[in-house]
Amino acid sequence: MQFFSGRFKEKASNLILDFHSSIDFDKRLYRYDIMGSIAHVRGLALKSIVPSSDAELIEKTLKEILNDIIGEKILFSREYEDIHMNIEKILIDRIGDAGKKLHTGRSRNDQVALDMKLFTKDEAVKVQAQLLDMIDLLNETAKKNLDTYMPGFTHLQKAQPITFAHYLLAYVEMFRRDFLRIENAIKLMDTSPLGSAALAGTTYPIDREYTSKILGFSSPTWNSLDGVSDRDYLIELINSFSLIMVHLSRFCEEIIIYTSNDYGYIELSDKFSTGSSIMPQKKNPDAAELIRGKSGRVFGDLLGLLTTMKGIPLAYNKDMQEDKEAFFDALDTVKGCLLVFYGMIETMSIKRETMLEAAARGFMGATDVADYLTKKGMSFRDAYKIVGEMVSFCIDNNYTLDNMPIEQYKKFSSSFSDDIYAEIAIETSVERRESYGGPSQRSVKQHIDFIDKFIKEYSSVIEKYKLNDIL
Ligand code: ARG
């Protein structure tokens, strides 16, 4: 069967068939294509546009084709360009004239727009579920590390002490925003383009509300031109995936630093590390590096699709076929990275003692010493200067702020007394920081409770946007 027979006298060259063909990558839409066709044909029967007996035969045969695709009994062909025409061709081969009625009042333009939306809705909630698992893992790990003290950094220089729980919860917030960004994108894209046809709707009395409803969308799209040419949601989601990759990549960068010989705050499990082919002592954080590296692909996918879309006149143009590889690549990359990252975090060991030792070195009590003087009546700026001189003295004379004798303290200011040592103890320094969002156990516990509630509230995410399974 030739789809474009009639208008064309010559067969398309093999070169152009290969160039146009998207079947090699859009075959993964088969389930959604069949779902959309069944909704469409049910709609046609509802309005008596095709006889019910034909519609039933089409639906039954499409379901058989679905099983045959799953059972790998079907070979797709480049000659039929894409998944839509391949499936239609198989349908017509199986049931003849009845099969030829499926495409009434429909175009591949609304068909592909629908398939992509169904696929995307289905997959986006899977990414959300992965994010929720990640948030849960980090929150649970935080619960066990409320008093695991470690240095906090700015400029990668030791700054002020925090806890490992407080550190992990910073990433919980990033992943929570990623989750909500996807939530917004799904809500915004939840409209059915089916019935937009090629660009200008159709003269058949179709019921777009009906098909939209049985496919689980909140409503049909309002404008048929926009219905077939909107790819905003793909860009929005790749943008959300890009931010997930930014967060994973920053986290990975820290894992790489924290597992390095000179830090040793964390040790990755053997299962998630690799060795060197020549240096027997090596244990490398390759997975973290690869995730950091793969972020570049996802950003590339985003920029690629933005560029593809920016100059396309309304409505459908073939340029849009380029949406698929970009979206599939970004989706597969982010899902794969989330999976590996989860395993890496779940199995790593946290070196409490090393973190504590690191927190004890590096003059991180300096701000507390300055605050101590300020509370005794000195202006903060004067106190800051004195403590700067004290740190310089300690460096020259091999002291830390904890072991410099009190007589020496007094030489810098008569306001110092023995209670200074308790004041600059790491634990005091952290636990005094009770401000909202700060590292004290009290503040962190409040955050943890909030996250527990968040997880509960959204754990039914997969159910919420479930496609109506008409298959
Ligand atoms: N394979 C095409 C795509 O992915 C399907 C739509 C084709 N429509 C057309 N008018 N050529 O965009």
Side-chain angles (χ1 to χ4, degrees), residues 108-302:
R108 266 191 304 157
N109 299 349
D110 59 341
Q111 190 177 355
V112 72
L114 175 68
D115 291 6
M116 261 324 255
K117 274 201 170 172
L118 290 170
F119 171 81
T120 303
K121 265 181 77 180
D122 215 11
E123 289 294 331
V125 290
K126 291 183 194 159
V127 178
Q128 278 191 302
Q130 281 189 292
L131 285 169
L132 219 50
D133 283 347
M134 183 78 79
I135 291 168
D136 192 33
L137 173 66
L138 297 176
N139 201 41
E140 291 304 315
T141 314
K143 287 178 191 172
K144 293 179 211 138
N145 287 281
L146 287 165
D147 59 352
T148 305
Y149 299 105
M150 68 179 287
F153 298 87
T154 63
H155 311 270
L156 205 54
Q157 306 282 330
K158 287 180 188 172
Q160 287 172 345
I162 54 169
T163 66
F164 195 57
H166 188 238
Y167 165 77
L168 292 176
L169 287 165
Y171 282 99
V172 163
E173 282 308 295
M174 295 180 230
F175 291 129
R176 213 162 60 78
R177 287 195 295 275
D178 293 332
F179 179 94
L180 293 172
R181 240 186 301 277
I182 296 180
E183 185 78 2
N184 280 341
I186 298 176
K187 274 191 194 136
L188 215 52
M189 66 164 281
D190 197 19
T191 52
S192 167
L194 183 61
S196 300
L199 75 160
T202 173
T203 55
Y204 295 99
I206 55 169
D207 186 343
R208 294 193 61 206
E209 289 281 352
Y210 169 79
T211 49
S212 161
K213 195 158 168 244
I214 63 171
L215 286 169
F217 287 102
S218 66
S219 64
T221 52
W222 261 114
N223 178 288
S224 58
L225 292 172
D226 181 54
V228 289
S229 50
D230 170 29
R231 299 292 184 273
D232 292 0
Y233 62 99
L234 297 177
I235 293 174
E236 255 195 290
L237 281 164
I238 306 181
N239 177 59
S240 307
F241 299 162
S242 296
L243 281 164
I244 296 174
M245 291 306 294
V246 168
H247 300 148
L248 285 177
S249 184
R250 291 182 76 175
F251 210 155
C252 282
E253 172 69 13
E254 282 166 341
I255 300 254
I256 292 161
I257 294 171
Y258 293 165
T259 54
S260 69
N261 306 120
D262 292 332
Y263 280 75
Y265 298 178
I266 285 170
E267 190 179 344
L268 294 181
S269 90
D270 287 357
K271 282 194 218 150
F272 281 84
S273 311
T274 43
S276 152
S277 59
I278 172 171
M279 296 167 283
Q281 85 282 14
K282 295 277 274 179
K283 183 169 174 184
N284 294 331
D286 278 26
E289 291 164 23
L290 206 48
I291 293 170
R292 187 177 58 181
K294 281 179 188 289
S295 57
R297 297 168 68 122
V298 181
F299 309 157
D301 294 327
L302 175 63

